[in-house]
Amino acid sequence: MLPLNSNQIPALFQKAGNLARSGKPDEALKVLAQLQTIAPNRAEVPFQIAQIHQQLGRTDAALKAYGQAARLAPAEITVWRAYVNLALSLDASSRSMVAKQLKSAKLPATEHKRLTAILKGTGSSTKRVSKTASKSEIDALTALLNAGRAKEAAAQAHALLARGANEAVTMVLGVALAALGKVDAAEAAFKTALSADPDYGEALAQYGQFLLKQTRRTDARKVLEHARRIIPDNPIVLGNLGMLYSDINAPREAIECLDALLKQAPGNAAGLFTRAKARLTLEDAAGTLEDLDALAVKTAPTGEMLALRAMAEKLLGNLEASRNAIEEALKTDPNHLRVVTMAANLLQQAGDFEAAEKVLRDAIARGVRSGSVYRMVAQGRKLAQDDPLIDEMKALWDRPDLPDEARIDLGYGLVKVMEDHKDAEAAWTYLSRANEVMARLHPHDMNKEQGDFDRFKAFLKGFDPARIGDCGYDQNSTVFITGLPRSGTTLVEQILASHSTVTGGDELGIFHPLGFEQVAKVAQAGGHIGDMTDAQFEDLGRAYQAAIDTRLPDADRITDKTISTYQIAPLVWLAMPKAKIVALRRDPRDNLWSIFKNRFVPGLHRYSYSQAALVQTYRLYTEYLDLWRELAPDRIYEISYEDLVDNPETEIRKLLEFCELEWEDACLNFHKTKRDVKTLSVAQVRQPLYKSSVGKWEPYADHLKELLDGLASLDAKNT
């Protein structure tokens, strides 16, 4: 090989960039390592290395590379900002190390001071020096706000600002204007305060709270997470981030924030209530009841509190306590939207669709006009063409002042009605608008999905299938059922849960976070799966079993229908060698169409509102399965939804054989099994197998050109 020379530097930089952008980070790092040998003093080389390591979650390696870049370019602001921002997400010793190095930086005084202040911002507030208003004057402004005198506070703030610009006063003005309902003027004030200092913690906290109240969750998240890096203990930041994470269905992140808040203020009612909701999302029934009990000491129970209690008691198997709580909830707040929908949801899970519909229709008759109520009625059964509810839904849809969340729910409800009545064009009209709104509120990052796959594939370097069975916890025999949503996973779980020795666990969502917590520790140190010890895999399996024992204490063998299991199969094999993985395949046209037309919990399955993103998700699903088949072909069982529908007994026998279960007729008569079902397929699994869901995409073919062309392109590449 010819020696490298300086003339190759531009070409190597371009090659490294192309590799990184095309999802080949480790190859990019190899090229950058070559660059370091011929250009050891160029700061952009370690800077790019740091960025790649940071994207891969290797924070130790990233921190080291940023430090090298900062030493080579002590006056480069971009390097120092990236270095400091990474340090903020790490421990105190890392921040201290960066702060020490920052002392020798050759930055403008204002930038140096700003970055130093950020690194020291480990409390609940930032120190500020005000030149145009005294502390007592600013405190007086805040007192006016706290007393509910927003108009006076705004007038006084304007008077103080006449002396000159002041970001603290401008922030208070923003809060006052927001309280007065002057949304545009309030936002302008917050932006003015932050233009003077983009890292003004309190202004970020107030602006984030303002954005959250405007339901601009994506913007609020960015602002509040920035605020937390600067003032991590601030109760406004912690409380609002907790609510935000709960709203976007990120319960673990919500609980982490709320734990920190409640450590400071154990009696914070809003914190207790939001944490109870987040704990319930994770099916931590005991934790939910703990928070509700603490809340009950401070305030009379509301209908929503009682409804949460009902759902928690149901999870614990206390059916009578659950029924009593939901009845009390409906008496306490009969017109509260969440009370109505939670009551109906509990009844639907139990298979009592008539009772659920009565709760919903009674609420509508009392004047509860909500898209979610109408949607639940429509999805519960086929509405007759002359049902007055349909005209009500259409009239509500036509209102220009309909809030986004209501339009989303109503749209998906109307899609179901129009599909039932074979009116594809009308269904598409409602669906396209609902999906458009959902995509705007919950944007999807296609690069992240690809990046997740690439990073985990790179982490699998050194995977040894011979280790399967020689490590891990061998007392767990869970059957994991995985696949894309709407592919038949709920059906397969219902079949297996009909077996006398199996308990249906539904979407438990336990293993993925446990597994990736271990992966992150190893990856941050630059390691791979081959570097994980037998003890780590056994601990992972035991941790999963402990969570199962808490959630389903009387179960011998369970099913876990967590969708994301297909992304982490090798961790399951090594942590629990006796566990089984069953993966569903379905005609992608039917599968993706069914995903596209259904409403999922906001924040989950964000790819489902875009045809291009759906094609990418399907491609990645097949690539995951192809990779697992290559690594350990006998460890994952693939079942076709169409084959199952066409030849149920044959396919069920093969499924039971893979799961090492004896044949039982009950598995063929799965629709007679009484158990709670919590997914969109709650109604379907109460019926015998049917073929009517095959080919449902065809009436919409003209509208699905992007999706169909994308799938055709994938087929062409694979042939």
Side-chain angles (χ1 to χ4, degrees):
M1 180 181 291
L2 294 174
L4 296 170
N5 60 71
S6 59
N7 293 329
Q8 295 174 280
I9 291 176
L12 287 172
F13 264 120
Q14 185 175 4
K15 182 179 179 181
N18 290 339
L19 287 168
R21 285 189 292 274
S22 61
K24 299 177 180 178
D26 285 328
E27 292 183 34
L29 288 171
K30 290 178 182 177
V31 175
L32 290 168
Q34 287 181 300
L35 269 169
Q36 279 192 305
T37 65
I38 58 174
N41 296 320
R42 293 188 65 158
E44 59 262 49
V45 180
F47 182 73
Q48 287 195 24
I49 290 173
Q51 290 189 309
I52 293 174
H53 279 308
Q54 188 172 354
Q55 289 166 3
L56 292 170
R58 301 169 184 168
T59 52
D60 290 347
L63 195 69
K64 182 179 178 181
Y66 277 134
Q68 184 180 0
R71 283 189 291 274
L72 291 172
E76 181 54 59
I77 292 176
T78 302
V79 171
W80 282 106
R81 285 179 177 175
Y83 194 19
V84 168
N85 281 332
L86 176 60
L88 288 173
S89 66
L90 304 178
D91 55 25
S93 63
S94 297
R95 292 195 297 272
S96 176
M97 179 191 73
V98 176
K100 185 177 181 180
Q101 189 176 347
L102 180 61
K103 292 179 181 178
S104 61
K106 298 177 181 179
L107 297 170
T110 54
E111 184 69 17
H112 196 287
K113 183 178 180 181
R114 188 179 76 84
L115 292 176
T116 301
I118 290 173
L119 284 170
K120 290 182 178 179
T122 57
S124 60
S125 62
T126 51
K127 294 180 179 179
R128 309 204 68 73
V129 177
S130 176
K131 296 180 180 179
T132 61
S134 66
K135 182 179 183 302
S136 61
E137 287 174 320
I138 295 174
D139 288 343
L141 275 179
T142 304
L144 288 172
L145 280 177
N146 292 338
R149 296 159 63 183
K151 190 173 182 179
E152 294 174 57
Q156 185 60 31
H158 280 301
L160 290 174
L161 289 171
R163 302 176 186 171
N166 184 298
E167 59 264 35
V169 175
T170 305
M171 175 194 71
V172 176
L173 175 61
V175 177
L177 291 171
L180 293 170
K182 298 180 179 180
V183 175
D184 292 341
E187 182 160 17
F190 288 127
K191 287 182 174 180
T192 299
L194 289 167
S195 67
D197 181 359
D199 296 311
Y200 181 5
E202 286 81 350
L204 288 164
Q206 293 292 346
Y207 185 34
Q209 180 170 263
F210 164 82
L211 291 168
L212 186 57
K213 287 181 179 178
Q214 302 302 313
T215 66
R216 291 166 55 185
R217 296 188 183 97
T218 301
D219 294 335
R221 180 174 185 173
K222 187 182 300 183
V223 171
L224 288 168
E225 287 179 344
H226 186 185
R228 194 179 184 198
R229 287 193 289 269
I230 297 165
I231 45 174
D233 301 326
N234 183 276
I236 294 175
V237 174
L238 292 171
N240 281 292
L241 266 178
M243 286 190 283
L244 171 63
Y245 287 139
S246 181
D247 287 346
I248 64 173
N249 204 53
R252 288 181 177 82
E253 292 86 343
I255 289 169
E256 189 266 329
C257 288
L258 296 165
D259 283 348
L261 172 66
L262 291 165
K263 187 175 181 180
Q264 295 181 42
N268 186 291
L272 286 168
F273 179 69
T274 307
R275 190 172 69 177
K277 290 197 296 182
R279 284 176 158 179
L280 186 63
T281 301
L282 293 174
E283 298 194 358
D284 176 9
T288 301
L289 293 177
E290 177 188 349
D291 283 339
L292 292 174
D293 288 342
L295 199 54
V297 173
K298 301 182 171 301
T299 182
T302 63
E304 192 172 3
M305 289 164 57
L306 289 163
L308 290 174
R309 182 176 292 278
M311 299 192 84
E313 295 285 12
K314 180 76 173 289
L315 283 173
L316 291 172
N318 302 327
L319 301 185
E320 185 175 356
S322 176
R323 283 193 295 270
N324 291 340
I326 202 62
E327 288 172 6
E328 189 63 28
L330 287 168
K331 288 178 185 175
T332 304
D333 283 325
N335 297 327
H336 191 290
L337 178 59
R338 276 186 55 80
V339 171
V340 171
T341 55
M342 281 194 281
N345 191 33
L346 280 170
L347 292 166
Q348 285 182 345
Q349 287 177 16
D352 195 345
F353 295 102
E354 289 186 9
E357 184 172 345
K358 185 177 187 307
V359 167
L360 295 166
R361 285 186 179 268
D362 286 350
I364 291 171
R366 292 194 303 271
V368 179
R369 297 289 187 270
S370 165
S372 57
V373 176
Y374 285 111
R375 176 181 57 81
M376 291 182 74
V377 174
Q379 292 185 338
R381 69 178 181 88
K382 180 178 179 179
L383 300 183
Q385 286 190 321
D386 60 350
D387 192 314
L389 246 62
I390 298 175
D391 287 337
E392 289 182 30
M393 293 170 75
K394 290 179 178 178
L396 189 58
W397 175 269
D398 289 336
R399 286 180 50 174
D401 62 340
L402 187 66
D404 283 341
E405 280 81 0
R407 188 170 298 282
I408 288 168
D409 276 311
L410 193 62
Y412 290 117
L414 283 165
V415 169
K416 169 64 163 54
V417 171
M418 296 303 113
E419 276 218 302
D420 285 343
H421 297 156
K422 312 297 183 187
D423 190 344
E425 287 305 310
W428 183 263
T429 298
Y430 295 119
L431 177 61
S432 57
R433 179 71 188 283
N435 274 351
E436 175 190 317
V437 177
M438 192 68 116
R440 174 167 50 80
L441 294 180
H442 304 281
H444 171 63
D445 183 356
M446 291 175 66
N447 291 328
K448 182 181 183 303
E449 275 197 0
Q450 182 66 56
D452 289 344
F453 175 76
D454 293 334
R455 282 188 291 274
F456 192 55
K457 185 176 179 180
F459 181 76
L460 292 176
K461 179 181 178 182
F463 174 79
D464 181 5
R467 291 185 73 187
I468 301 174
D470 288 341
C471 62
Y473 177 68
D474 65 1
Q475 299 302 304
N476 179 286
S477 55
T478 295
V479 180
F480 289 91
I481 303 163
T482 187
L484 295 180
R486 313 297 295 162
S487 64
T489 53
T490 302
L491 170 62
V492 169
E493 181 175 52
Q494 181 77 352
I495 290 169
L496 290 172
S498 300
H499 198 279
S500 61
T501 66
V502 178
T503 299
D506 206 77
E507 296 186 26
L508 296 174
I510 295 171
F511 188 80
H512 203 133
L514 289 174
F516 269 90
E517 182 179 350
Q518 294 283 357
V519 168
K521 291 177 183 176
V522 177
Q524 282 175 9
H528 299 85
I529 197 167
D531 299 309
M532 292 183 70
T533 65
D534 290 357
Q536 282 179 301
F537 285 121
E538 181 168 355
D539 288 347
L540 179 55
R542 286 183 179 277
Y544 178 79
Q545 183 65 53
I548 295 303
D549 290 341
T550 301
R551 192 83 60 88
L552 301 163
D554 300 322
D556 181 22
R557 189 177 191 187
I558 69 161
T559 57
D560 183 339
K561 196 182 69 69
T562 302
I563 291 292
S564 60
T565 304
Y566 74 82
Q567 299 172 350
I568 53 171
L571 295 181
V572 175
W573 299 335
L574 293 170
M576 293 173 290
K578 291 186 178 178
K580 306 290 185 180
I581 300 180
V582 176
L584 268 292
R585 284 189 179 272
R586 184 182 179 189
D587 183 321
R589 297 167 298 181
D590 281 322
N591 198 168
L592 300 186
W593 164 245
S594 186
I595 295 173
F596 191 62
K597 73 173 183 177
N598 275 289
R599 174 197 178 277
F600 294 93
V601 175
L604 289 182
H605 307 304
R606 292 173 180 237
Y607 59 84
S608 62
Y609 316 115
S610 156
Q611 294 186 46
L614 280 165
V615 172
Q616 184 203 46
T617 298
Y618 173 73
R619 173 181 61 78
L620 287 172
Y621 176 63
T622 62
E623 289 183 8
Y624 274 111
L625 293 190
D626 289 345
L627 182 57
W628 306 155
R629 207 182 301 110
E630 179 185 329
L631 293 177
D634 62 331
R635 298 296 303 187
I636 191 163
Y637 181 72
E638 296 178 40
I639 184 170
S640 159
Y641 173 81
E642 288 78 16
D643 289 347
L644 180 58
V645 171
D646 285 340
N647 301 292
E649 183 171 342
T650 299
E651 294 302 319
I652 290 172
R653 285 186 182 278
K654 290 193 292 186
L655 172 66
L656 294 178
E657 182 180 355
F658 173 77
C659 297
E660 299 182 27
L661 293 168
E662 296 294 328
W663 172 264
E664 290 184 1
D665 290 342
C667 295
L668 190 57
N669 299 315
F670 62 87
H671 56 284
K672 297 179 181 178
T673 300
K674 301 296 183 183
R675 57 178 284 267
D676 281 0
V677 179
K678 302 169 187 174
T679 67
L680 291 171
S681 303
V682 62
Q684 289 94 319
V685 297
R686 309 290 183 191
Q687 307 169 38
L689 283 173
Y690 54 87
K691 301 180 181 181
S692 60
S693 60
V694 176
K696 279 289 189 74
W697 61 273
E698 293 176 359
Y700 305 90
D702 290 344
H703 298 293
L704 296 173
K705 189 174 187 307
E706 185 178 15
L707 187 149
L708 297 173
D709 287 350
L711 291 174
S713 177
L714 292 181
D715 286 341
K717 289 179 182 178
N718 294 328
T719 56

